Amino acid sequence: MHNTTRRLAVIALACTATLGFAQSNKGEIRIAHVYDKTGPLEAYAKQTHTGLMMGLNYATGGTMMVGGKKLVVIEKDSQFKPDVGKAQLAAAFADDKADIAVGPTGSGVALAMLPVAEEYKKILLVEPAVADSITGDKWNKYIFRTGRNSSQDAISNAVALDKAGVNIATLAQDYAFGRDGVKAFKDAVKTAKIVHEEYLPTSTTDFTAGAQRLIDKLKDLPGRKVIFIIWAGAGNPFKIADLDLKRYNIEIATGGNILPAMANYKNFPGMEGATYYYFGIPKNPVNDAMVAQHYSQFKSPPDFFTAGGFSAAMALVTALKKTNGDTKTDTLIKTMEGMSFETPKGTMTFRKEDHQAMQSMYHFKIKVDPAFPWGVPELVREIKPADMNVPIKNKR
């Protein structure tokens, strides 16, 4: 008899523990951050997570609470591998009972994750994966994106380069980010001529052969000659400048990047392009707060992807405040469609049709300032959402 009592007591305890857990989950909003913590985009991933945590803290006034519920962030490493990202997102929704997910870093991983959001009927807020197809032909209604898409990158960079008499050859990585980027850039360029597309593996470290093909296509052409680079992660495509491009009057152009990569920009004073973010450009209270917080915590300025993670946090908290902490997916979708929210880049708005955040981009010119170890992108002009005709590409 004594044993039975003890067994029943143990069972009762186990039940209370389970109930306790269920109740504690009720008082929580679980956010899964599925991102490429390891792999070639590790530097980007780390910044995104820093920005996300800083942004959640800022948006909740330091309480990490919304509608009386505690925000809990669960981290998952997608390792820059599509199958891993897919499995990690499924585990976040099924095992960790995540209410909503943010991520991932790589576009290939994001494309593998989209169907998982649809299967579990939960929102995946894409940040910072860029490929157009994410909010394009592979989109479903559970997908929102605070990160910019290839078209926003391309259209803003076309603003800087698309002039009569300009011949452009592109150099990009041979995967979703590079191919979607070049496609969007070609669609955006109306006046200049695209004369060649060069695609190299993401793991490329020796750019000589690719550069030679680019030079051969451009060197004998009249007018202005530009190699436009779309590159992410490791490998330094700017090494092609060592092949004496100046001899053929060939220029290099590219979009913005993380600060360590922009050390290469110091060799190209006057280079023009468009960037998603640089800490010294936007003038607004959210950016001021993020820059100040980042300096006090890390003794350095926030970077490209820090701003992205922060923007994702601002979007989530804005939506959750509007629903008073209600995480029902249908309620969140209704709330987020057409919703505007403040970010370090100013106001963003989720477009109703494809849930892409409409946002400013910045046309810059590189200035060399001895105070900074990187080429400083000086603002030429802010390219506002209204100035960019970003195509809706998710029509099935």
Side-chain angles (χ1 to χ4, degrees), residues 91-354:
F93 288 143
D95 306 337
D96 301 310
K97 302 289 179 266
D99 298 296
I100 198 160
V102 178
T105 322
S107 290
V109 182
L111 291 168
M113 283 164 59
L114 303 186
V116 179
E118 193 165 30
E119 186 189 331
Y120 285 90
K121 298 185 165 43
K122 299 271 188 187
I123 287 172
L124 170 63
L125 179 58
V126 176
E127 176 62 57
V130 177
D132 265 345
S133 42
I134 294 165
T135 43
D137 61 344
K138 302 288 188 284
W139 177 87
N140 63 66
K141 70 173 184 179
Y142 302 99
I143 307 306
F144 285 80
R145 172 159 51 190
T146 41
R148 86 282 186 204
N149 66 11
S150 294
S151 289
Q152 286 165 319
D153 260 354
I155 291 163
S156 55
N157 275 289
V159 166
L161 296 172
D162 190 14
K163 312 216 164 59
V166 181
N167 294 294
I168 302 170
T170 59
L171 169 61
Q173 280 157 316
D174 194 3
Y175 88 115
F177 167 73
R179 289 205 172 260
D180 276 20
V182 170
K183 189 181 175 306
F185 184 69
K186 279 167 65 184
D187 290 347
V189 167
K190 302 287 181 249
T191 317
K193 274 197 186 71
I194 311 278
V195 298
H196 178 67
E197 295 166 40
E198 186 67 37
Y199 296 99
L200 297 174
T202 48
S203 56
T204 303
T205 51
D206 183 356
F207 291 86
T208 321
Q212 203 47 61
R213 287 190 289 274
L214 288 160
I215 290 167
D216 291 344
K217 290 286 186 225
L218 285 168
K219 63 179 187 192
D220 299 325
L221 296 174
R224 193 174 162 201
K225 297 177 277 230
V226 181
I227 295 171
F228 180 60
I229 299 174
I230 298 177
W231 202 267
N236 175 15
F238 294 94
K239 282 183 181 154
I240 65 173
D242 300 345
L243 296 167
D244 202 10
L245 299 179
K246 286 201 181 76
R247 181 161 54 124
Y248 306 109
N249 288 322
I250 297 173
E251 302 167 52
I252 285 178
T254 191
N257 208 323
I258 60 172
L259 299 174
M262 281 169 56
N264 296 308
Y265 293 18
K266 271 196 121 158
N267 305 321
F268 307 100
M271 177 172 76
E272 282 185 75
T275 190
Y276 163 81
Y277 177 79
Y278 176 73
F279 74 94
I281 291 178
K283 304 281 178 251
N284 62 67
V286 181
N287 192 50
D288 292 348
M290 180 177 76
V291 172
Q293 172 67 34
H294 203 279
Y295 266 111
S296 75
Q297 210 171 321
F298 300 103
K299 312 290 174 270
S300 66
D303 211 339
F304 212 77
F305 295 98
T306 325
F310 205 101
S311 299
M314 294 298 285
L316 287 179
V317 175
T318 303
L320 289 165
K321 279 181 176 169
K322 285 181 189 290
T323 69
N324 195 29
D326 185 347
T327 55
K328 280 202 276 313
T329 303
D330 290 346
T331 308
L332 282 171
I333 290 173
K334 280 195 193 82
T335 304
M336 289 166 75
E337 282 187 342
M339 179 184 88
S340 291
F341 50 101
E342 295 311 310
T343 79
K345 296 179 59 180
T347 308
M348 288 188 192
T349 305
F350 284 126
R351 185 160 62 177
K352 274 197 173 75
E353 293 84 352
D354 61 358

